[in-house]
């Protein structure tokens, strides 16, 4: 019955676990996107997902962890950072495209050399 | 004591030929007349030597003039004391007689050579060589010590080398000169050993000082054996120089030199130097040493006489005869007949020089033909040469009225007496046999050369008597071969002035029991010779021992008894020998060839000179050459092989260590490099350069890390 | 030091000459030759000045006060060096009667060989620079009284010699040069070890009373100067002096060269150019025997006594073995090289006699061998220059073609045989007299006299094969001597003849020192060994 009670508790009481679950899902999806997508723009979008999963964590821990507004603050920073990062990343992608005429990350393995 | 400056005169006589040598050698090429200068110098020396000999023998016959100076002063050490080497001159009767002989024959040979050598391309050089020979020979004559004896001994060896090899373009001549020098060196080897013993024990080379020490009982290494050995070793020099058995082989070969040289060096003077040496060291010879010397002398007189019987080369016959006569002298000294030995040296020098010059005259007339089988009948063509040659032959055969008779008879009588006294009769027997053979081969030579029919008409036809410059020396020497110069009694020399006044047996200094029994001591005699020093000498020379040792009465008596038997015997054998020669070669009653055939082995043995040369070549020359080749091989293969081998071993070792270095030491280094390289290749695989792969890795690593941390960690 | 530094001058003059030669531009070959000639001639002049100022009554050997022309000053001084405390090395040179004849010989032979170098036209600059350096090395060896200095000169001489053989030599020059170099270096290693061993065993008292280790060989000759524990100190009961002696001896024996270390010599001689052969035989070989007399004898007198028989035995072997080997040679130069081996045996034998007459003979033989063998090599050089071959059997009858040359040959050959009237006779007979006078080596001396017989054999045989007999028509174009060859041969001839007739010119120079050495050798073995016990 413990399973049942745990499950029912999970279903009835929204708590930290739910946020973490969502965040974990988002993170996994992000990773998946980053790893599997060949298009650099799609990779960037994956990264956005990962960042947002982190934001959820920040906020959730701030709400349940008695840390004041530190979490929200951090989340705000991340959002700003993500925006900036996206701008730069997109610029890089554009440059990559200009250089390699391609945004397929598999093809761009100059780093290896 | 004497007003005659003997020593300065002697020095002048000694140095004159040396000056002649230098100037003739240096200017001989430019000035054609240098030979006259040289001849003049020698003649001057002869004049001085006659004067000196006359004054010495007439007025100072009992004196001995010594002068010495320090040549090398080696200072002194605490351990060995003072050491110095002296040079000096000694003039006694033997010296001046020898001096006269050398100067006279040298002068005559110079004169003879002026004609004989005419036309030679090295004419003046020849005369300069004669000069250095005369100088060295005079050095031997004047010396008063063993070192100077050795020095001049070697120098006469050098001049003999130069003169034998004068016509060095001929291989036989250069061979002969080399052989002469080397064989002489064998003798000198013994002589040097003797000198070493002498110096090691007495710290001086001077004869008189050594004699004085021996007479005071100082023996080499304190043993009589070494005294005997020292005497024998010193005598070894004489064996070489006087061509005594077993070192006689060089003298016949030395006939390759110009004939006047043979007369001067290889008949009259240099070969007699051995006898002269023995005369000089006579006082220190023990009985055993003398017996050894007598034996050598007897063998050396016998063997060459048998060889001379069959030789056909006029000079070879004379050469063997020379050895034989030298053997006589040596034997005479060995049996204690000091005076006769030296007397024979003098007489022999004149008649043998005459024989050689005579043969030179014949060879000159026959245009350098030396084979007596090509001669014959020359008597009419060469009357002067023939007459003098006859006189010389009579002298060497020991026929009365000649000088040869006097000395030879004395030697035979002494040997005879010696046999009676000691029982060693073999010396007398051999002596008479040799006398027989001598008479035979000399007359064989004379008859074959001058009598009978000419065997080579063409050469006979061209033959003519030699010019006066060549016959004059012959006549002079022939005159000197007459008895009257030595004694007024033609049958015995003993009463003559040479033996009575001039030649006296010196005192033996060896311990009494080591002498011959007949050489005893007499205590009441006056010293025979007084020693006088002209120049200041550091040490007082040895005074003559107070008592003179002369032959005992017993010996005098034995000699007296031996005189007539020996004389008749020697006359008989000489007559017999001459008779045989006439029968075989003049009247031809016996065919010489048939006789030779009937004793063929003996004949061949004699003709081939007892195979001495072959034996020596086989045993010594080839032996040494083989040894030297072996050692050269040993040196280049073994000794150098070890050196090179060690080099090879080092090189191989270095290669090994090189390999070790490359494959082991460096191998390890390279191995680690290779390993890290491989690792790199392996890890490289992870570096895809794709960000996504990296991210996967990061994520998986993170998960793994977390997993580990959760299970094993905090 | 109240005299001009003559020894330094004579030693380092060639270095100045070398610098001049190096500064001369390339085209001036003649000037280089003249420089060498001038320098070596000046050396002869200085040697003459030294001779005239030489005091015959001073012995030297172990007494610093009786050495002459001494120059001594501190050369290297390091203080506070670990346990050694102070290292000091002196520039200490001086001569006595043993080194003086060698000095004269070196000056003489250097000049003669410089004359002989005139017709070397390959890399003239390098040749003369090397040559002058070599001369400095040789001079330095003979004047050094400090072991360290000696060692430096010893090695300095080695290097130019290597190049002189290796560059200007014959067909197998590289082989010969390397053999020479390695052989000598092999000996030097031992010498170095012994030198260090002695340094660490021997102390010198400074003026301040302080005791410091020293390389001064004169200090090493006094047993009082040794420390109690030094490895080569006679005071140390477990000292290694015997082994050190053998090592040092081996170092010198290679130079002599002593059987069985002699095989570098024939190769080096055959390949070296004539002037270098002359130097090699004339001077270099003497360094070995000189070293033994200067170092082995007075520093290790007690061991010298022990091994004296062996020194004589090796001397005898050298004499006989060298002579027999010479007899079998077909190469003229090799024959002379082996005759050198034989003649140096006489030096060993004479040294072993330990008495005045024998040691005088040995030193005089060193000088005479220097002059006579130099003549022999020049003689070979003369025909090699003309005929470009040295095969003994290829000649014959040269006396007809070159009579004056043959005259010199005769003198040199008979000098080598030991004919009286030529200097070699005096030294050889002195060696025999000395050797025979010393009981332990008497038999060896007698055996050695066979050497003079063999010597006559091979020399006369060679004389006959090359110069006598009918002229080999191949050589009827050969010219007799020219002026330069006269200038080389005549001085040597005059010297050997004068010293043959009046040897006291040279014997007087060395006599006091020889006697001092003999006295020293007679009394000091007891000193050395009694302290050890």
């Amino acid at each position: 019955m413990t399973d049942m009670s745990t499950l029912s508790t999970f279903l009835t009481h929204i708590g930290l676990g739910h946020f973490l679950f969502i965040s974990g899902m988002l993170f996994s999806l992000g990773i998946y996107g980053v790893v599997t997508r060949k298009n650099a723009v799609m990779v960037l979008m994956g990264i956005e997902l990962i960042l947002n999963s982190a934001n959820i964590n920040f906020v959730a821990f701030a709400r349940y962890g008695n840390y004041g507004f530190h979490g929200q603050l951090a989340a705000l920073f991340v959002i700003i950072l993500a925006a900036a990062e996206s701008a730069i990343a997109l610029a890089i992608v554009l440059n990559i495209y200009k250089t390699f005429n391609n945004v397929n990350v598999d093809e761009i393995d100059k780093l290896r050399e | 004591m004497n007003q005659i400056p003997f020593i300065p005169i002697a020095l002048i006589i000694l140095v004159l030929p040396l000056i002649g040598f230098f100037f003739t050698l240096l200017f001989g090429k430019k000035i054609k007349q240098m030979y006259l200068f040289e001849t003049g110098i020698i003649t001057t020396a002869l004049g001085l030597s006659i004067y000196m000999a006359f004054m010495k023998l007439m007025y100072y016959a009992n004196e001995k003039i010594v002068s010495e100076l320090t040549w090398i002063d080696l200072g002194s050490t605490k351990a060995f004391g003072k050491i110095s080497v002296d040079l000096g001159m000694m003039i006694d009767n033997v010296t001046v007689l020898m001096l006269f002989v050398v100067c006279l024959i040298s002068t005559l040979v110079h004169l003879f050579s002026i004609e004989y050598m005419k036309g030679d391309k090295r004419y003046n050089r020849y005369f300069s060589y004669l000069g250095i020979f005369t100088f060295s020979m005079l050095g031997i004559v004047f010396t008063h010590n063993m070192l100077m004896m050795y020095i001049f001994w070697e120098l006469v060896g050098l001049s003999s080398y130069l003169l034998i090899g004068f016509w060095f373009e001929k291989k036989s001549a250069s061979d002969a000169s080399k052989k002469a020098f080397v064989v002489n060196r064998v003798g000198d080897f013994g002589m040097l050993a003797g000198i070493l013993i002498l110096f090691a024990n007495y710290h001086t080379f001077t004869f008189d000082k050594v004699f004085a020490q021996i007479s005071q009982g100082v023996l080499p290494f304190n043993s009589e054996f070494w005294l005997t050995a020292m005497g024998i070793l010193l005598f070894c020099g004489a064996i070489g120089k006087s061509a005594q058995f077993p070192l006689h082989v060089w003298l016949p070969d030395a006939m390759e030199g110009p004939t006047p040289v043979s007369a001067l060096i290889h008949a009259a003077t240099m070969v007699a130097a051995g006898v002269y040496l023995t005369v000089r060291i006579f006082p220190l010879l023990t009985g055993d040493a003398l017996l050894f010397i007598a034996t050598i002398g007897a063998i050396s007189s016998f063997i060459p006489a048998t060889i001379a019987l069959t030789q056909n080369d006029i000079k070879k016959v004379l050469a063997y005869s020379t050895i034989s006569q030298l053997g006589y002298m040596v034997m005479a000294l060995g049996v204690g007949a000091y005076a006769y030995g030296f007397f024979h040296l003098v007489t022999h020098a004149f008649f043998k020089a005459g024989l050689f010059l005579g043969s030179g005259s014949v060879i000159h007339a026959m245009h350098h033909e030396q084979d007596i089988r090509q001669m014959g009948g020359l008597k009419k063509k060469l009357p002067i040469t023939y007459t003098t040659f006859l006189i010389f032959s009579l002298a060497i055969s020991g026929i009365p009225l000649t000088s040869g008779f006097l000395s030879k008879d004395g030697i035979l009588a002494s040997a005879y007496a010696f046999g009676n006294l000691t029982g060693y009769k073999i010396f007398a027997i051999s002596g008479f046999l040799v006398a027989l053979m001598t008479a035979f081969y000399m007359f064989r030579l004379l008859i074959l050369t001058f009598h009978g029919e000419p065997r080579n008409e063409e050469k006979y036809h061209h033959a003519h008597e030699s010019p006066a410059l060549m016959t004059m020396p012959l006549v002079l020497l022939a005159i000197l071969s007459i008895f009257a110069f030595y004694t007024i009694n033609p049958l015995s020399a003993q009463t003559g002035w040479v033996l009575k006044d001039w030649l006296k047996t010196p005192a033996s200094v060896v311990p009494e029991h080591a002498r011959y029994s007949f050489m005893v001591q007499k205590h009441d005699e006056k010293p025979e010779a007084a020693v006088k020093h002209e120049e200041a000498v550091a040490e007082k020379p040895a005074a003559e021992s107070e008592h003179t040792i002369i032959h005992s009465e017993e010996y005098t008596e034995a000699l007296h008894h031996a005189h007539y038997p020996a004389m008749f015997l020697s006359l008989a054998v000489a007559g017999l020998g001459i008779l045989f020669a006439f029968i075989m070669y003049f009247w031809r009653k016996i065919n010489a060839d048939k006789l030779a055939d009937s004793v063929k082995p003996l004949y061949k043995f004699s003709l081939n000179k007892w195979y001495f040369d072959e034996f020596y070549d086989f045993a010594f020359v080839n032996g040494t050459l083989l040894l030297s080749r072996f050692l050269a091989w040993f040196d280049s293969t073994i000794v150098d092989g070890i050196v090179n081998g060690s080099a090879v071993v080092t090189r191989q070792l270095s290669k090994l260590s090189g390999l070790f270095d490359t494959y082991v030491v460096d191998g390890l280094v390279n191995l680690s490099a290779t390993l890290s390289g491989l690792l790199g290749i392996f890890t490289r695989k992870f570096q895809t350069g794709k960000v996504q792969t990296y991210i996967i890795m990061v994520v998986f690593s993170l998960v793994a890390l977390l997993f580990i941390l959760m299970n094993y960690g905090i | 030091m109240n005299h001009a530094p003559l020894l330094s001058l004579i030693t380092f003059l060639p270095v100045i000459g070398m610098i001049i030669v190096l500064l001369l531009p390339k085209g001036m070959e003649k000037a280089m030759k003249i420089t060498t000639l001038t320098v070596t001639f000046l050396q002869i002049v200085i040697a003459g000045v030294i001779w005239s100022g030489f005091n015959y009554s001073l012995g030297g050997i172990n007494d610093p006060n009786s050495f002459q022309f001494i120059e001594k000053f501190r050369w290297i001084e390091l203080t506070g060096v670990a346990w050694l405390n102070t290292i000091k090395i002196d520039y200490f040179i001086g001569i006595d009667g043993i080194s003086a004849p060698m000095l004269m010989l070196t000056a003489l032979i250097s000049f003669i060989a410089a004359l002989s170098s005139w017709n070397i036209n390959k890399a003239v600059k390098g040749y003369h620079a090397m040559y002058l350096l070599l001369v400095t090395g040789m001079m330095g060896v003979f004047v050094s009284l400090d072991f360290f200095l000696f060692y430096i000169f010893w090695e300095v001489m080695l290097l130019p010699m290597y190049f002189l053989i290796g560059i200007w030599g014959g067909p197998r020059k590289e082989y010969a040069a390397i053999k020479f170099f390695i052989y000598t270096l092999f000996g030097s290693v031992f010498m170095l070890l012994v030198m260090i061993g002695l340094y660490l065993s021997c102390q010198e008292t400074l003026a301040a009373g302080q005791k410091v280790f020293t390389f001064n060989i004169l200090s090493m000759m006094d047993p009082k100067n040794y420390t109690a524990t030094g490895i080569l100190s006679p005071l140390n009961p477990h000292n290694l002096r015997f082994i050190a002696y053998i090592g040092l001896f081996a170092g010198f024996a290679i130079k002599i060269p002593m059987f069985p270390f002699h095989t570098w010599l024939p190769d080096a001689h055959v390949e070296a150019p004539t002037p270098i052969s002359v130097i090699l035989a004339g001077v270099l070989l003497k360094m070995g025997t000189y070293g033994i007399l200067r170092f082995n004898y007075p520093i290790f007198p007690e061991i010298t006594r022990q091994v004296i028989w062996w020194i004589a035995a090796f001397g005898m072997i050298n004499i006989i073995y060298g002579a027999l080997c010479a007899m079998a040679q077909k190469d003229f130069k090799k024959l002379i090289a082996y005759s050198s081996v034989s003649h140096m045996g006489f030096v060993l034998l004479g040294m072993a006699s330990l008495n005045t007459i024998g040691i005088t003979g040995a030193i005089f033989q060193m000088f005479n061998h220097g002059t006579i063998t130099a003549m022999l090599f020049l003689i070979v050089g003369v025909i090699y220059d003309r005929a470009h071959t040295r095969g003994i059997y290829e000649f014959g009858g040269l006396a007809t073609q070159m009579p004056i040359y043959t005259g010199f040959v005769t003198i040199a050959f008979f000098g080598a045989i030991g004919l009286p009237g030529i200097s070699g006779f005096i030294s050889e007979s002195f060696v025999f007299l000395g050797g025979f006078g010393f009981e332990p080596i008497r038999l060896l001396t007698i055996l050695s006299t066979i050497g003079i017989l063999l010597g006559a054999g091979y020399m006369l045989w060679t004389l006959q094969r090359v110069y006598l007999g009918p002229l080999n028509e191949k050589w009827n174009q050969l010219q007799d001597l020219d002026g330069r060859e006269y200038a080389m041969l005549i001085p040597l001839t005059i010297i050997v003849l004068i010293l043959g007739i009046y040897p006291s010119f040279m014997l007087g120079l060395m006599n006091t020192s020889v006697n001092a050495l003999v006295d020293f050798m007679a009394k000091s073995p007891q000193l050395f060994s009694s302290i050890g016990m």
Side-chain angles (χ1 to χ4, degrees), chain C residues 32-168:
Chain C
M32 295 168 191
K33 291 173 181 177
I34 289 172
T35 310
T36 308
L37 217 52
T38 316
V39 164
T40 46
F41 183 74
L42 281 175
Q43 279 190 304
I44 291 190
V45 173
I46 299 169
V49 174
I50 290 174
W51 194 337
S52 67
F54 192 83
N55 185 344
Y56 283 26
S57 62
L58 292 178
I61 304 299
N62 66 331
D63 175 15
N65 297 323
S66 62
F67 270 89
Q68 305 183 41
F69 300 99
I70 289 181
E71 290 165 41
K72 184 177 186 179
F73 53 83
R74 191 60 36 85
W75 178 34
I76 296 173
E77 183 160 12
L78 301 171
T79 45
V81 185
W83 47 276
L84 285 170
N85 202 7
T86 302
I87 291 182
K88 67 157 207 69
I89 298 169
D90 284 343
Y91 176 82
F92 183 22
I93 59 177
I95 54 170
D96 65 356
I98 290 174
S99 33
M102 295 299 109
L103 190 84
M104 310 296 160
L105 179 70
T106 309
L108 174 72
I109 297 296
S110 301
F111 176 68
I112 301 280
L115 265 179
S116 171
S117 305
W118 198 265
N119 55 0
I120 282 184
N121 289 319
K122 176 181 170 188
V124 177
K125 188 179 208 171
Y127 178 87
H128 286 277
M130 287 294 172
Y131 181 83
L132 288 168
L133 186 62
L134 176 71
V135 175
T136 290
M138 296 189 303
M139 278 290 177
V141 162
F142 289 126
V143 297
S144 302
L145 292 177
D146 188 274
F147 210 144
F148 194 80
L149 196 64
F150 174 86
Y151 187 80
I152 287 175
F153 281 121
W154 183 272
E155 298 293 312
V156 158
M157 158 223 76
L158 196 55
L159 192 79
M161 201 68 197
Y162 171 76
F163 287 113
L164 287 169
I165 298 175
I167 295 176
W168 288 270

Side-chain angles (χ1 to χ4, degrees), chain B residues 71 74 77-78 151 154-155 161 168-169 174-175 178 181 185 189 196 221 628 631 634-635 640 643-644, chain C residues 175 179 183 262-263 321 324 338 356 417 420 426 436 442 449 452 463-464 469-470 501 504 511 515 519:
Chain B
W71 183 35
L74 289 179
T77 54
K78 285 180 198 105
I151 290 174
E154 292 289 312
L155 286 178
Y161 174 85
F168 58 78
E169 289 92 344
S174 63
D175 272 340
K178 180 184 65 183
F181 197 90
R185 270 268 160 139
F189 166 65
L196 293 180
F221 309 124
S628 85
L631 280 182
F634 175 79
D635 198 62
D640 207 26
V643 175
N644 287 334
Chain C
Y175 170 75
K179 197 168 179 179
Y183 231 135
H262 63 281
T263 54
Y321 184 88
L324 281 170
Y338 274 108
T356 309
I417 292 172
I426 310 283
F436 196 79
R442 196 162 275 161
T449 52
I452 62 163
L463 194 65
Q464 184 191 19
I501 293 161
S504 299
N511 185 252
N515 283 341
D519 275 333

Side-chain angles (χ1 to χ4, degrees), chain A residues 1-82:
Chain A
M1 270 324 278
T2 36
D3 286 356
M4 281 304 290
S5 67
T6 314
L7 186 64
S8 66
T9 318
F10 182 74
L11 289 176
T12 51
H13 294 81
I14 301 292
L16 183 63
H18 297 86
F19 291 101
L20 290 185
F21 181 75
I22 293 297
S23 142
M25 291 300 289
L26 268 179
F27 181 78
S28 302
L29 284 171
I31 289 289
Y32 179 78
V34 167
V35 172
T36 55
R37 295 293 144 175
K38 288 194 167 37
N39 195 314
V41 181
M42 299 303 278
V43 173
L44 281 177
M45 291 169 77
I47 290 171
E48 286 304 312
L49 287 183
I50 292 169
L51 289 174
N52 281 324
S53 77
N55 280 352
I56 293 171
N57 273 11
F58 275 125
V59 176
F61 279 115
R63 167 72 182 82
Y64 292 97
N66 198 18
Y67 291 109
F69 294 99
H70 291 240
Q72 281 87 335
L73 220 61
L76 272 175
F77 271 114
V78 170
I79 289 165
I80 295 163
L81 215 85

Side-chain angles (χ1 to χ4, degrees), chain C residues 130-437:
Chain C
M130 287 294 172
Y131 181 83
L132 288 168
L133 186 62
L134 176 71
V135 175
T136 290
M138 296 189 303
M139 278 290 177
V141 162
F142 289 126
V143 297
S144 302
L145 292 177
D146 188 274
F147 210 144
F148 194 80
L149 196 64
F150 174 86
Y151 187 80
I152 287 175
F153 281 121
W154 183 272
E155 298 293 312
V156 158
M157 158 223 76
L158 196 55
L159 192 79
M161 201 68 197
Y162 171 76
F163 287 113
L164 287 169
I165 298 175
I167 295 176
W168 288 270
R172 292 175 74 223
K173 57 196 177 189
E174 289 89 358
Y175 170 75
I178 288 178
K179 197 168 179 179
F180 164 79
F181 190 84
I182 293 190
Y183 231 135
T184 317
L185 206 62
F186 178 73
S188 311
V189 171
F190 291 118
M191 202 189 296
L192 181 68
L193 288 176
V194 174
M195 177 176 94
I196 294 169
L198 282 170
Y199 173 71
L200 297 178
S201 310
C202 185
Q203 285 186 326
E204 199 173 60
T205 313
L206 296 181
Q210 184 198 10
K211 283 196 161 198
V212 291
F213 289 117
T214 180
F215 281 113
N216 183 341
I217 59 168
L218 302 184
S219 305
M220 293 172 185
M221 295 174 196
D222 188 351
K224 286 196 281 294
N225 288 332
Y226 285 90
T227 60
T229 52
I231 190 164
L232 296 182
S233 160
L235 302 163
N236 181 350
H238 305 294
N239 65 51
L240 299 175
R241 285 172 69 85
F242 191 81
I243 294 167
Y245 185 91
I246 302 295
L248 193 58
F249 190 86
F252 292 128
I254 286 169
K255 257 280 158 27
I256 294 174
M258 186 183 86
F259 175 88
F261 305 124
H262 63 281
T263 54
W264 64 267
L265 183 76
D267 284 315
H269 269 315
V270 168
E271 301 308 327
T274 303
I276 302 308
S277 285
V278 169
I279 291 269
L280 200 56
V283 183
L284 246 70
L285 304 192
K286 314 300 171 300
M287 291 180 182
T289 40
Y290 172 80
I292 292 173
L293 276 179
R294 173 68 72 213
F295 291 85
N296 280 47
Y297 268 47
I299 298 181
F300 301 95
E302 81 285 17
I303 295 162
T304 305
R305 278 270 172 186
Q306 285 174 36
V307 300
I308 206 74
W309 190 87
W310 290 100
I311 297 180
F314 276 112
M316 184 212 69
I317 292 173
N318 257 36
I319 293 170
I320 305 229
Y321 184 88
L324 281 170
C325 281
M327 200 176 276
Q329 299 306 320
K330 295 189 178 68
D331 182 319
F332 204 160
K333 222 171 173 185
K334 212 163 191 173
L335 182 135
I336 307 293
Y338 274 108
S339 86
S340 274
V341 174
S342 183
H343 285 131
M344 290 308 285
F346 287 108
V347 181
L348 278 174
L349 183 69
M351 287 187 331
S353 71
L354 291 181
N355 55 32
T356 309
I357 197 157
I359 293 182
T360 304
I363 299 173
F364 196 38
Q365 172 77 0
M366 279 153 76
F367 189 89
N368 294 337
H369 176 260
T371 47
I372 293 173
T373 309
M375 273 183 89
L376 290 173
F377 276 113
L378 291 173
I379 278 163
V380 180
V382 167
I383 49 169
Y384 186 70
D385 283 349
R386 288 165 172 67
H388 303 290
T389 177
R390 293 184 304 256
I392 291 174
Y393 286 98
E394 291 172 45
F395 293 101
L398 290 187
T400 331
Q401 185 68 28
M402 307 164 76
I404 298 171
Y405 167 60
T406 308
F408 284 106
V409 170
T410 312
I411 293 172
F413 270 41
F414 276 96
I417 292 172
L419 190 85
I422 302 175
S423 55
F425 166 76
I426 310 283
S427 49
E428 282 180 23
S429 46
F430 271 30
V431 164
F432 288 138
L433 289 170
F436 196 79

Side-chain angles (χ1 to χ4, degrees), chain B residues 1-33:
Chain B
M1 199 156 83
N2 60 59
Q3 288 76 42
I4 316 290
F6 280 119
I7 295 294
I9 295 178
L11 270 174
I12 293 169
I13 296 176
L14 180 62
V15 172
L16 275 177
L18 189 64
I19 295 171
F21 161 69
F22 269 120
F23 284 95
T24 315
L25 190 68
L26 286 181
F27 303 116
K29 269 220 159 141
K30 301 250 166 61
I31 308 165
K32 287 277 167 283
Q33 263 65 45

Side-chain angles (χ1 to χ4, degrees), chain B residues 374-388:
Chain B
Q374 300 293 317
M375 299 175 183
L378 289 173
K379 187 173 142 185
K380 290 185 211 82
K381 288 261 183 176
L382 308 167
I384 305 172
T385 308
Y386 169 70
T387 318
T388 52

